C-alpha cells in the first residue's frame, strides 16, 4: 500500500499574498526567452550531443528566434568547453544573440568559466548556489548566513573577473531550489547579491528564481514570484527570470502564472527536455501565447523540421501527444470530432476576416506546416462520415451527396474494422473507386448509348449481361431518363432514381465529369453509384449502371 503520511509540504508559501496576478487574463507580450537546451537539456541526455550536433542545434535555435541561448557548463567537460570556444573563435554568434554559461559559486569553476568565455561579444555569466532548507541542513550542513556568504563570495569573484577578462559580460544569479527556500531568506540573498553587482537600467542583471523541484500548486509559486518582484533591490535594473522544472507536471502552469506575477524572462527547453522530468516546454509556452493572439516572438512554423532535428541530435522521441508538436495532437478519429472539424473548416472559408474558431483545434495546423488531410482527419473504425467525406473531397475532389457520404462512411469504417488498422487517404480513395466508380458488374456492363430525337426522345443502349450482348430501347423526357427506362425494362427492375448530382473534377477544359446516382428500391433500401468520363452524360450513365450493380449492397 502507498503511504501518503510520510510526505509533508516542503515549500514555504508567502503569508501575506497580494494576489494581483489573479486579475490578469494572460501576458500582454512575450517574455524574454532563454533556451537552455544546450546545457540543461544536453546534460540530461543519455548520450550528450557531439560538437557538430550542438552546432546544428544552436543554429536551429537561432533560426527559431531565441536571442538568449545557454550554451553550456564549460567546466563540466571538454566538449562543453570546446563548443563554447568554437562559437567565439569562429564568430558563429549572431550580433543579436547573447550566449549564457552556467557556473556554481566555486572559485575554480568560476575561473574556468571565464577562461571559456574570454572574448565573447556578449555573454551572461549565470552563477548559482543552493539555498533550500533541505540542502542547507542535509547536504551542506551550513547555516543561512554561511550559505548566503557562498553566494556573496561568488558574486564578488564574478564581478572581479569580468573586469580582468576580455569580453562583454552580463550577470545572472539563481538561488537554486528556490521553491524549497523560505521566500524572505531567498529575497535576502538575492538582494545582497544585487548590492554587490550594482546593476543599472542600462546594464541590468538577471535574478532567476527557479522551480528546481516542483513542490506546490502553481499559484503558490506565483505568489512567491510576486512577493520577490515587489521587494527586490534596484527593481528597474533587474530582469526577473524563471526556470521551472516539471516534477508535478505543471511546469507550463507555473511559468504562465509567474509571468502574470511579475516574471519577465523564461529559461526553457524544446519539448520540455531537461534533467529528471524536464524543463518547461518552450513550444507549449510560446504557442499558448500565440493562440491567445499574442506574438510569442519565436517561429515554430516548420514544426516537422524542428522535430526531426531534435530527435536526431538528442536521440529523444517527441511523444505522439506532445502539445502542438506530437504526430497525433491534431488527429481526430472520432466521428463527432471529425464532423465538427469539417463543418468548422467550411465556416472558416466563409469568414471574410479569416478568424480561426474551428472546433477541437485551438491552432491552425497549417501554421505549424501540418496538413488537414494527413494530420487532422484520421480514419479508423471509430471515424464518421464527415471526416471520411472531407478527405475524399479536399484531397481528391469527390463531393458526394450527403446520403451517399453516409453510406461511404459506413463502408470505410467496416473496412478499417476488419483490417484492425487506420486507413490512409489513398486507401480511402481505393475503397471509393472499388465500391462505386464505373462498375461493370455483376449485373450489367454499359457498352454504348445512342439517341433518336423525333416526337419523343428515344435511347438505344447496348449492354452486356452475363457475357451476352443486348440492345434495349427506352423513351423519356431527357437522355438520362430514356436510358434509365431502357435499362429498367430490359432487366425488369423496379426502382426510383432518387438522387442525381454531378461535378467537374478540375477546372481545365479537359477535366473529367463526375456523377453520383442513388436508387431507391421497393423494400426501402438504397444503392449508390459513381461515374467518371469526359462527357457529362456518359458519366451519369456510368453512375446509373454502377448503382444498379450495387443492388445487392443496398
Amino acid at each position: 500500500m502507498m503511504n501518503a503520511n510520510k510526505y509533508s509540504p516542503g515549500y514555504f508559501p508567502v503569508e501575506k499574498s497580494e494576489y494581483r496576478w489573479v486579475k490578469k487574463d494572460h501576458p500582454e507580450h512575450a517574455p524574454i526567452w532563454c533556451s537552455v537546451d544546450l546545457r540543461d537539456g544536453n546534460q540530461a541526455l543519455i548520450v550528450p550531443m557531439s560538437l557538430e550536433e550542438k552546432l546544428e542545434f544552436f543554429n536551429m535555435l537561432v533560426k527559431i528566434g531565441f536571442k538568449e541561448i545557454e550554451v553550456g557548463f564549460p567546466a563540466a567537460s571538454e566538449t562543453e568547453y570546446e563548443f563554447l570556444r568554437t562559437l567565439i573563435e569562429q564568430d558563429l554568434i549572431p550580433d543579436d544573440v547573447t550566449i549564457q554559461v552556467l557556473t556554481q559559486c566555486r572559485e575554480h569553476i568560476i575561473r574556468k568559466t571565464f577562461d571559456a568565455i574570454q572574448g565573447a561579444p556578449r555573454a551572461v555569466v549565470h552563477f548559482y548556489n543552493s539555498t533550500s532548507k533541505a540542502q542547507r541542513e542535509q547536504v551542506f550542513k551550513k547555516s543561512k548566513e554561511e550559505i548566503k556568504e557562498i553566494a556573496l563570495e561568488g558574486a564578488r569573484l564574478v564581478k572581479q573577473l569580468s573586469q580582468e577578462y576580455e569580453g562583454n559580460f552580463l550577470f545572472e544569479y539563481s538561488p537554486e531550489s528556490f521553491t524549497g527556500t523560505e521566500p524572505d531568506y531567498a529575497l535576502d540573498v538575492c538582494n545582497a547579491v544585487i548590492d554587490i553587482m550594482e546593476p543599472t537600467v542600462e546594464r541590468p542583471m538577471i535574478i532567476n528564481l527557479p522551480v528546481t523541484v516542483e513542490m506546490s500548486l502553481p499559484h503558490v509559486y506565483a505568489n512567491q514570484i510576486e512577493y520577490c518582484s515587489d521587494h527586490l533591490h534596484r527593481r528597474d535594473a533587474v530582469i526577473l527570470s524563471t526556470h521551472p522544472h516539471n516534477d508535478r507536471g505543471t511546469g507550463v502552469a507555473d511559468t504562465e502564472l509567474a509571468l502574470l506575477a511579475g516574471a519577465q524572462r523564461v529559461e526553457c527547453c524544446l519539448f520540455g527536455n531537461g534533467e529528471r522530468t524536464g524543463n518547461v516546454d518552450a513550444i507549449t509556452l510560446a504557442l499558448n501565447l500565440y493562440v491567445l493572439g499574442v506574438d510569442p516572438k519565436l517561429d515554430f512554423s516548420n514544426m516537422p523540421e524542428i522535430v526531426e532535428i531534435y530527435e536526431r541530435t538528442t536521440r529523444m522521441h517527441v511523444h505522439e501527444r506532445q502539445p502542438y508538436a506530437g504526430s497525433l495532437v491534431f488527429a481526430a478519429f472520432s466521428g463527432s470530432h471529425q464532423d465538427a472539424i469539417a463543418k468548422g473548416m467550411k465556416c472558416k472559408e466563409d469568414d471574410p476576416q479569416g478568424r480561426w474558431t474551428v472546433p477541437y483545434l485551438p491552432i491552425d495546423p497549417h501554421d505549424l506546416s501540418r496538413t488537414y488531410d494527413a494530420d487532422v482527419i484520421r480514419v479508423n473504425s471509430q471515424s464518421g462520415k464527415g471526416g471520411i467525406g472531407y478527405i475524399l473531397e479536399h484531397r481528391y475532389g469527390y463531393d458526394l451527396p450527403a446520403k451517399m457520404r453516409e453510406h461511404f462512411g459506413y463502408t470505410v469504417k467496416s473496412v478499417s474494422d476488419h483490417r484492425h488498422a487506420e486507413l490512409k487517404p489513398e486507401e480511402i480513395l481505393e475503397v471509393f473507386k472499388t465500391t462505386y466508380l464505373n462498375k461493370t458488374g455483376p449485373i450489367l456492363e454499359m457498352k454504348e448509348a445512342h439517341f433518336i430525337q423525333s416526337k419523343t426522345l428515344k435511347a438505344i443502349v447496348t449492354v452486356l449481361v452475363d457475357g451476352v450482348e443486348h440492345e434495349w430501347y427506352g423513351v423519356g423526357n431527357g437522355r438520362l431518363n430514356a436510358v434509365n427506362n431502357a435499362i429498367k425494362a430490359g432487366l425488369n427492375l423496379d426502382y426510383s432514381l432518387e438522387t442525381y448530382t454531378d461535378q467537374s473534377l478540375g477546372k481545365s477544359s479537359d477535366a473529367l465529369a463526375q456523377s453520383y446516382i442513388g436508387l431507391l428500391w421497393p423494400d426501402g433500401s438504397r444503392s449508390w453509384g459513381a461515374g467518371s468520363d469526359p462527357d457529362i452524360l456518359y458519366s451519369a450513365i456510368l453512375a446509373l449502371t454502377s448503382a444498379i450493380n450495387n443492388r445487392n449492397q443496398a
Side-chain angles (χ1 to χ4, degrees), residues 43 114 170 229 231 242 313 382 419 436 450 462 465 480 554:
Q43 74 184 30
F114 272 92
L170 303 170
S229 179
H231 296 92
T242 179
T313 57
Q382 306 301 307
R419 293 185 187 178
Y436 305 107
H450 301 284
T462 304
V465 178
L480 179 60

Side-chain angles (χ1 to χ4, degrees), residues 88-314:
I88 296 171
E89 293 170 5
Q90 295 187 18
D91 195 22
L92 299 177
I93 306 169
D95 292 340
D96 62 346
V97 171
T98 301
I99 61 170
Q100 177 172 303
V101 291
L102 186 70
T103 176
Q104 294 172 326
C105 288
R106 298 170 65 183
E107 181 175 354
H108 72 284
I109 295 179
I110 292 175
R111 289 186 180 279
K112 185 165 185 180
T113 299
F114 272 92
D115 288 341
I117 59 172
Q118 179 161 278
R122 185 177 172 90
V124 172
V125 180
H126 180 184
F127 58 102
Y128 74 96
N129 68 304
S130 183
T131 58
S132 73
K133 184 175 188 293
Q135 293 214 41
R136 292 196 313 264
E137 295 178 352
Q138 300 174 35
V139 180
F140 303 111
K141 301 186 184 303
K142 291 181 182 294
S143 67
K144 286 184 176 181
E145 283 304 313
E146 289 174 311
I147 293 295
K148 178 180 175 180
E149 186 56 33
I150 292 174
L152 301 187
E153 288 178 0
R156 295 185 192 103
L157 181 59
V158 166
K159 186 175 184 180
Q160 172 192 328
L161 294 180
S162 70
Q163 297 167 354
E164 296 176 2
Y165 279 77
E166 177 190 355
N168 182 9
F169 305 120
L170 303 170
F171 311 109
E172 174 177 353
Y173 172 70
S174 291
E176 190 199 6
S177 299
F178 167 77
T179 45
T181 304
E182 303 87 337
D184 57 345
Y185 173 62
L187 180 68
D188 178 52
V189 175
C190 290
N191 280 334
V193 169
I194 291 170
D195 291 343
I196 289 174
M197 303 310 294
E198 299 180 301
T200 64
V201 174
E202 294 73 27
R203 291 187 66 81
M205 77 169 294
I206 300 163
I207 292 294
N208 184 57
L209 304 179
V211 185
T212 309
V213 180
E214 278 192 314
M215 295 181 171
S216 67
L217 270 66
H219 76 284
V220 174
Y221 180 57
N223 288 336
Q224 294 167 337
I225 290 291
E226 187 174 78
Y227 170 76
C228 290
S229 179
D230 287 346
H231 296 92
L232 283 171
H233 291 181
R234 304 189 185 216
R235 183 63 183 88
D236 59 348
V238 169
I239 297 170
L240 185 55
S241 178
T242 179
H243 180 120
H245 282 255
N246 200 43
D247 304 85
R248 291 168 50 93
T250 58
V252 169
D254 286 333
T255 309
E256 290 178 329
L257 297 191
L259 291 174
L260 296 182
Q264 301 155 284
R265 180 179 182 269
V266 177
E267 296 187 345
C268 47
C269 286
L270 300 183
F271 308 109
N273 189 26
E275 286 278 34
R276 306 184 322 276
T277 56
N279 288 114
V280 67
D281 178 15
I283 294 172
T284 300
L285 281 170
L287 294 179
N288 280 359
L289 287 175
Y290 182 68
V291 299
L292 292 174
V294 178
D295 183 358
K297 306 298 183 182
L298 295 177
D299 183 3
F300 294 109
S301 60
N302 195 345
M303 189 65 73
E305 179 184 65
I306 293 170
V307 170
E308 188 279 323
I309 294 174
Y310 172 83
E311 291 190 328
R312 174 167 46 80
T313 57
T314 67

Side-chain angles (χ1 to χ4, degrees), residues 410-471:
Y410 284 117
T411 301
V412 170
K413 288 171 64 172
S414 178
V415 172
S416 175
D417 198 20
H418 281 86
R419 293 185 187 178
H420 299 288
E422 176 188 357
L423 295 186
K424 304 299 183 185
E426 57 270 20
E427 294 174 308
I428 295 171
L429 176 63
E430 186 58 34
V431 172
F432 168 74
K433 289 181 175 180
T434 302
T435 305
Y436 305 107
L437 189 61
N438 294 358
K439 296 196 70 172
T440 58
I443 297 176
L444 81 161
E445 177 182 355
M446 178 62 62
K447 302 301 291 184
E448 58 183 31
H450 301 284
F451 302 93
I452 299 174
Q453 180 75 57
S454 56
K455 291 183 179 181
T456 59
L457 180 63
K458 181 178 181 180
I460 306 167
V461 298
T462 304
V463 300
L464 287 179
V465 178
D466 294 331
V468 179
E469 187 173 290
H470 300 270
E471 190 172 82

